[in-house]
Amino acid sequence: MDTFYTDLLCVGAGLAGERVAVAAAAGGFDSICLSIVPPRRSHSSAAQGGMQASLGNCCMGQGDCPDVHFADTVKGSDWGCDQEVARLFAETAPIAVREMAFWGIPWNRVVPGKSIYYKAGKQYEKVEAAERSGAIAARDFGGTAKWRTCYTSDGTGHTLLYTMDNEVVRLGVTVHDRVEALALIHDGITCMGVVARCLKTGKLRAYLGKATLIATGGYGKLYRESTNAVINWGDGAAVALDTGLVPIGNPEAVQFHPTGIVPTNILVTEGCRGDGGTLKDVNEERFMNIYEPAKQELASRDVVSRWMTHHIRIGKGVPSAYGPHLWLDIRHLGAQHIKTKLREVEEICNEFLDRDPITQLIPVRPAQHYSMGGVRTDKDGAAYGLKGLYAAGEAACWDLHGFNRLGGNSLAETIVAGRIVGEKIVEYLEGRQTEFKTSVVRQAVNREQERIEGLIGSTGKENVYELRAAMGDVLMDRVGIFRNQADLQGAVEKLQVLYDRSKKLGLRSTSVHGANPELGTALRLPGMVRLALCIAYGALTRTESRGAHAREDYPERNDRDWLKRTLAYWKNEGDPLPVLEYEKPSTVWQMPPGERGYGSTRIICSEDTEICIPKPETN
Amino acid sequence: MSGGVTMGRTLKFNIFRFNPEDPASAPRMDAYFLEETEAMTLFIALNRIREEQDPALMFDFMCRAGICGSCAMMINGRPDLACHTKTKNLPAEITLMPMPVFKLVGDLSVDTGTWFRAMNEKVQSWIHTAKRFDPGQEEERMDNALAEEIYEMERCIECGCCVAACGKANMVPENFMGAAAFNRIARFMIDPRDERNNDEYFEVVGNEDGIFGCLGLLGCEDTCPKNIPLQDELGMLRRKMGFSQVKHLFRALLPGKKMA
């Protein structure tokens, strides 16, 4: 068996993983990045709209600063985020954006003079100052007080990822693509690396690192309808959970994006609404202006998705063979704007819907989009429970987003967290020696080898693809945008049955030569169902509504009893349910809980005087 | 997602099968049949074949939205992204082969990752600058029109269609750099942040493995799924590198003379 040694092992080579590897290289340390796909194909590349940073260059962003970005982020999170992390993030984001410009991002720039823009379907005029000409521009996104989202057309994730990977190539960082982590190697105290499966040869490998980073992105593909790429099955979160020591923070905090196209759930960017696009119903009439007079189409994603679902439920959806949907209208933005600032949207509509968004409406419906939850870390990115284990990006619960992430804050998080966590890992690595215990490595490898042999020789009858689809149905139908006791209880019970069935898989393809995709799915399925159970059980237990977690039977945000973060542990493989523990979401309260300015205002106030009476020196 | 609405056609898929890891495997074509459904793409069709008929079938998909470049393959003899290819635009008999030039992983899956990493190393696909990033400084200004021009070339998704469609790359698969590499060089050439001069680019691309090896067949331009204007870029690169070549010749003939 091949064994590889390195200083930093990055599991995942999207934006967050590569940014950490770049930091390690800058600090003089070696890294190996493992990636299921070639790094430039990572899901980071699909992020379209942009990256928030309070540069305040354009006239609609005037007066912006990290304080305002911080406040928007905390409100967006529905006070579920760690405010120390949010502060660190907002202050670092402008530097991170400029660093990416230095490395080669062709950010859209401020064009001086008069131009028109649209907000909520109406036309306005703005004048950009000559002295800001050529500085990095920004567009409007939901839940923000200022235009703050830096962008390159609607291919921002693509240009960021390519530029980051250029740095990886320049620095000579080793990347092993088509490699999937199956388990963490640890002795109960320290993480030493991973057991991985090569997706070219099917062979097992051991990767040993003085530090290990999980940066595998989100777990949207647990859901039936998700904007996520097909590989977003949550492998990193699953292997961390499987240790029994590392918790998943806030698994129930799952974001639904308002504008997945119908069918296929491919995302069209929030930039459509940010640039002035509107949502319309079966009568081609707007409705967000009625539900949310202040922010209208640009309320936060959780709020817009809920109103859309509500509007469909009251019969205002557009009927189709794929169920009712609503319309996104960007026609009034005009051909010139769509062909430059929204060209990926145009391409997606043309290629996947046979529709021209310049002259036709786009069929949309909320679809699962983002996992606010993930491997729980401290503000340095160090995972709870195991020394030497880190996480960053969507795979982590750092916790910047709390119960709802703002558009443009995920790309920003990958770069900012990657930068900060990377520096912390360098500090950790400096002067550090790790003992790799061969007995522990051997044990971990043997366990995976036995799982493979067990599956190949299994007499079980369960079909991997059927079980995976059933899991997706349960989450979609019962742990979706609106939740309630009966649905969630049913979801937990159904998932428990699926978990038992996932131990009796039977393969139709028993080849051990090469990648064998069915075996790959079978190996990851039990971990996926455990994660799904964390989501459903966390949602069942949280008897309040906060951000994206909306309980019909508990509509209030309950700061008195639920101003806390869920920590889900899977202590033993045979356990039927995760163990849930809780912690305070934040140790500092620069911004005490209040109203968001959009969405529900039903709040049960906290009685904790430390949280609710603002200290005089903060604002 | 495939929807239940059938379109009345039964599609026949002829798919290349070979598992190079399996000593017992030999290259062959397998046939599969599917009822065509509304809005069916090759992404939907191939996943259905794998889930319902042949769980061992190897192919690559990632974003399924034409953005990541994972799923390029030969579709009735022409390289294209499978995810955005609709069956209604194809005849009822569809032949799928892996892309040539790239190393075969298995069936329809090829190793584009290794190829493109080597390409990026060869063309030194990064901003070359003597400056150091200063976190305390504002960004350097850039004209928006130039930023958009760079983005136009930055839209390459490294899918490999241009390479698979290239007559020269098929003749000398080990060495020829291909249109994706030329596009990348052109992208850095117009970027003022990159301090390389034309002579330095010439060192990389001014040879028979580079732009002078291009036969001008333009299979690249015809098959680029992102519609990047490769013909214009290759022309620009050839002119600039041709000029550098003349300078090199003069240098060789007139040693000691300083050229502009």
Side-chain angles (χ1 to χ4, degrees):
Chain A
M1 187 193 57
D2 291 331
T3 304
F4 301 87
Y5 296 86
T6 186
D7 294 323
L8 169 64
L9 180 65
C10 290
V11 184
L15 276 172
E18 288 206 330
R19 184 62 189 84
V20 171
V22 165
F29 291 99
D30 289 332
S31 339
I32 297 176
C33 294
L34 308 184
S35 181
I36 292 172
V37 294
R40 292 179 189 219
R41 313 218 186 287
S42 303
H43 192 47
S44 305
S45 70
Q48 297 165 11
M51 156 169 183
Q52 282 203 43
S54 58
L55 299 177
N57 285 328
C58 56
C59 61
M60 302 302 287
Q62 236 173 35
D64 202 7
C65 62
D67 285 343
V68 185
H69 189 184
F70 164 81
D72 284 345
T73 301
V74 174
K75 280 183 212 166
S77 80
D78 223 350
W79 279 268
C81 73
D82 181 325
Q83 297 199 11
E84 200 180 354
V85 165
R87 171 66 64 183
L88 192 62
F89 161 77
E91 284 173 359
T92 310
I95 297 168
V97 162
R98 289 180 177 132
E99 187 171 53
M100 293 310 298
F102 182 79
W103 285 337
I105 298 287
W107 294 115
N108 275 85
R109 302 294 179 134
V110 174
V111 179
K114 273 187 199 171
S115 58
I116 55 162
Y117 70 97
Y118 291 87
K119 201 172 179 83
K122 281 199 199 115
Q123 189 178 314
Y124 300 89
E125 191 179 83
K126 64 182 173 68
V127 184
E128 296 291 354
E131 67 264 24
R132 300 314 298 165
S133 173
I136 295 170
R139 63 172 19 145
D140 202 8
F141 253 39
T144 63
K146 304 280 180 186
W147 289 25
R148 186 187 298 129
T149 305
C150 308
Y151 64 102
T152 52
S153 181
D154 54 356
T156 316
H158 170 87
T159 58
L160 283 168
L161 185 61
Y162 271 54
T163 301
M164 193 65 83
D165 196 56
N166 285 344
E167 276 301 290
V168 161
V169 175
R170 183 178 76 83
L171 294 164
V173 174
T174 304
V175 177
H176 289 185
D177 71 14
R178 292 180 188 262
V179 175
E180 178 180 1
L182 295 183
L184 293 179
I185 301 170
H186 68 91
D187 60 2
I189 296 161
T190 308
C191 179
M192 301 167 203
V194 304
V195 182
R197 178 169 174 257
C198 172
L199 300 179
K200 291 176 189 166
T201 63
K203 294 198 172 85
L204 289 184
R205 295 175 176 176
Y207 286 91
L208 304 178
K210 292 177 190 163
T212 302
L213 173 84
I214 292 177
T216 49
Y219 38 80
K221 275 295 173 195
L222 301 180
Y223 279 78
R224 180 184 66 221
E225 287 168 22
S226 169
T227 65
N228 283 194
V230 298
I231 61 164
N232 290 81
W233 51 65
D235 44 326
V239 296
L241 185 67
D242 289 354
T243 61
L245 302 165
V246 182
I248 302 301
N250 284 341
E252 67 270 35
V254 177
Q255 180 169 81
F256 286 75
H257 194 290
T259 57
I261 64 169
V262 180
T264 73
N265 307 303
I266 295 171
L267 177 77
V268 291
T269 174
E270 184 157 324
C272 291
R273 284 172 292 128
D275 291 2
T278 55
L279 293 167
K280 291 182 172 171
D281 62 18
V282 64
N283 302 316
E284 297 192 17
E285 285 170 0
R286 289 182 61 210
F287 51 91
M288 282 309 299
N289 53 334
I290 299 162
Y291 294 132
E292 292 290 331
K295 296 294 281 184
Q296 307 190 24
E297 273 84 353
L298 285 180
S300 61
R301 289 177 177 175
D302 56 326
V303 171
V304 177
S305 291
R306 275 197 291 277
W307 285 126
M308 290 171 75
T309 307
H310 167 78
H311 208 62
I312 290 173
R313 280 183 176 181
I314 63 169
K316 296 290 184 72
V318 183
S320 84
Y322 301 94
H325 61 75
L326 295 157
W327 297 117
L328 172 66
D329 187 359
I330 60 170
R331 295 172 299 181
H332 53 283
L333 304 184
Q336 166 67 19
H337 185 94
I338 292 170
K339 283 179 178 295
T340 55
K341 301 287 200 302
L342 298 171
R343 56 187 298 171
E344 305 297 331
V345 170
E346 189 197 16
E347 212 171 273
I348 286 166
C349 290
N350 285 328
E351 293 185 359
F352 296 94
L353 294 169
D354 269 334
R355 280 176 170 269
D356 176 6
I358 298 167
T359 57
Q360 290 175 294
L361 298 165
I362 308 168
V364 293
R365 185 167 60 205
Q368 192 288 342
H369 182 60
Y370 190 82
S371 319
M372 274 77 74
V375 177
R376 176 68 186 133
T377 72
D378 65 15
K379 65 178 193 287
D380 296 341
Y384 286 21
L386 280 176
K387 218 172 152 57
L389 181 67
Y390 291 79
E394 191 176 349
C397 179
W398 189 24
D399 172 4
L400 174 63
H401 309 300
F403 277 77
N404 175 67
R405 172 176 73 74
L406 293 183
N409 263 359
S410 65
L411 274 183
E413 182 190 14
T414 62
I415 307 286
V416 173
R419 203 172 191 278
I420 292 169
V421 174
E423 283 169 11
K424 292 294 172 187
I425 289 176
V426 167
E427 284 174 23
Y428 175 82
L429 287 173
E430 274 166 357
R432 185 179 171 78
Q433 293 306 319
T434 306
E435 280 177 39
F436 298 120
K437 296 172 193 157
T438 51
S439 59
V440 175
V441 177
R442 177 50 56 192
Q443 206 178 353
V445 172
N446 284 350
R447 182 169 167 262
E448 296 312 307
Q449 192 58 46
E450 282 161 20
R451 283 180 67 209
I452 291 173
E453 283 160 14
L455 283 163
I456 296 291
S458 169
T459 53
K461 293 282 176 282
E462 297 290 354
N463 177 311
V464 283
Y465 298 116
E466 278 174 29
L467 289 196
R468 191 178 64 179
M471 174 189 67
D473 288 346
V474 171
L475 286 180
M476 201 71 211
D477 298 339
R478 293 170 174 269
V479 200
I481 293 175
F482 288 105
R483 302 167 175 184
N484 61 61
Q485 171 85 23
D487 281 351
L488 292 169
Q489 187 65 49
V492 169
E493 286 162 14
K494 283 170 187 290
L495 288 170
Q496 284 178 313
V497 172
L498 289 175
Y499 185 46
D500 285 339
R501 290 173 64 191
S502 77
K503 294 167 186 165
K504 298 165 200 153
L505 294 172
L507 300 188
R508 288 168 294 162
S509 160
T510 52
S511 170
V512 289
H513 304 291
N516 190 348
E518 189 189 27
L519 175 62
T521 307
L523 282 168
R524 63 184 78 106
L525 192 66
M528 290 170 77
V529 181
R530 283 193 287 269
L531 265 183
L533 268 164
C534 289
I535 297 172
Y537 191 53
L540 172 66
T541 311
R542 183 175 284 274
T543 49
E544 66 152 356
S545 292
R546 184 180 299 276
H549 174 69
R551 287 284 299 253
E552 292 165 306
D553 41 358
Y554 296 94
E556 294 88 7
R557 189 183 86 201
N558 185 344
D559 289 341
R560 186 189 61 206
D561 305 317
W562 283 104
L563 193 56
K564 50 193 182 186
R565 178 181 300 113
T566 306
L567 299 175
Y569 293 85
W570 204 283
K571 304 262 181 188
N572 301 293
E573 199 181 336
D575 289 353
L577 277 175
V579 173
L580 303 184
E581 294 176 9
Y582 294 92
E583 65 176 5
K584 281 188 177 179
S586 192
T587 51
V588 297
W589 294 94
Q590 295 179 357
M591 201 166 151
E595 287 185 17
R596 301 168 93 186
Y598 46 81
S600 167
T601 53
R602 297 166 72 174
I603 297 166
I604 298 171
C605 289
S606 169
E607 290 161 4
D608 185 340
T609 49
E610 259 180 50
I611 291 170
C612 276
I613 296 168
K615 296 193 174 73
E617 68 271 18
T618 58
N619 51 17
Chain B
M1 187 173 66
S2 54
V5 191
T6 56
M7 305 296 286
R9 284 204 303 178
T10 299
L11 302 177
K12 182 186 182 191
F13 291 89
N14 304 307
I15 299 181
F16 176 82
R17 304 300 308 278
F18 178 47
N19 180 357
E21 292 293 321
D22 184 352
S25 175
R28 64 178 194 277
M29 298 298 288
D30 279 352
Y32 304 89
F33 296 89
L34 272 186
E35 290 301 309
E36 186 174 28
T37 52
E38 194 185 340
M40 185 183 253
T41 61
L42 290 184
F43 168 70
I44 293 167
L46 282 169
N47 276 291
R48 273 188 56 194
I49 290 172
R50 178 149 86 192
E51 291 178 16
E52 296 165 12
Q53 301 183 31
D54 191 339
L57 181 62
M58 286 183 267
F59 51 76
D60 296 316
F61 285 101
M62 231 296 287
C63 75
R64 57 81 176 88
I67 292 167
C68 79
S70 293
C71 63
M73 59 183 69
M74 304 303 280
I75 303 163
N76 285 342
R78 198 182 162 83
D80 202 351
L81 302 179
C83 71
H84 76 176
T85 301
K86 292 182 276 274
T87 53
K88 69 167 192 176
N89 297 332
L90 297 173
E93 185 161 350
I94 299 163
T95 299
L96 302 177
M97 303 280 286
M99 283 196 294
V101 184
F102 302 99
K103 189 181 173 204
L104 183 73
V105 173
D107 302 339
L108 300 173
S109 172
V110 294
D111 184 359
T112 50
T114 304
W115 195 96
F116 277 100
R117 169 83 185 217
M119 182 280 273
N120 283 309
E121 285 170 358
K122 210 183 294 179
V123 306
Q124 304 188 4
S125 171
W126 57 82
I127 299 277
H128 290 55
T129 179
K131 293 179 188 146
R132 290 177 69 86
F133 175 67
D134 178 353
Q137 284 292 311
E138 276 193 14
E139 67 275 16
E140 279 185 23
R141 303 295 174 97
M142 178 182 276
D143 193 58
N144 189 58
L146 176 61
E148 286 183 350
E149 208 183 320
I150 295 170
Y151 176 63
E152 181 68 29
M153 300 184 189
E154 187 93 359
R155 292 176 72 247
C156 169
I157 55 172
E158 297 191 354
C159 61
C161 286
C162 61
V163 177
C166 175
K168 186 64 182 272
N170 276 277
M171 284 157 59
V172 279
E174 295 299 313
N175 301 323
F176 187 61
M177 294 170 83
F182 304 147
N183 170 67
R184 188 60 48 77
I185 286 171
R187 176 248 175 272
F188 285 105
M189 269 185 171
I190 65 162
D191 192 329
R193 293 169 292 196
D194 196 315
E195 293 164 1
R196 278 180 283 187
N197 60 35
N198 280 352
D199 285 354
E200 287 167 277
Y201 290 118
F202 183 83
E203 290 299 319
V204 175
V205 77
N207 50 57
E208 279 298 308
D209 291 337
I211 192 68
F212 300 135
C214 168
L215 300 174
L217 301 173
L218 294 174
C220 52
E221 163 106 4
D222 292 345
T223 56
C224 174
K226 302 308 274 187
N227 299 312
I228 295 172
L230 294 168
Q231 182 175 358
D232 298 346
E233 286 171 21
L234 265 55
M236 184 268 275
L237 195 59
R238 191 191 289 274
R239 280 194 302 281
K240 285 197 172 163
M241 292 299 98
F243 186 66
S244 292
Q245 190 176 36
V246 172
K247 283 206 312 188
H248 276 251
L249 280 172
F250 270 104
R251 261 202 208 115
L253 292 170
L254 305 167
K257 281 267 181 191
K258 263 196 176 168
M259 300 301 296

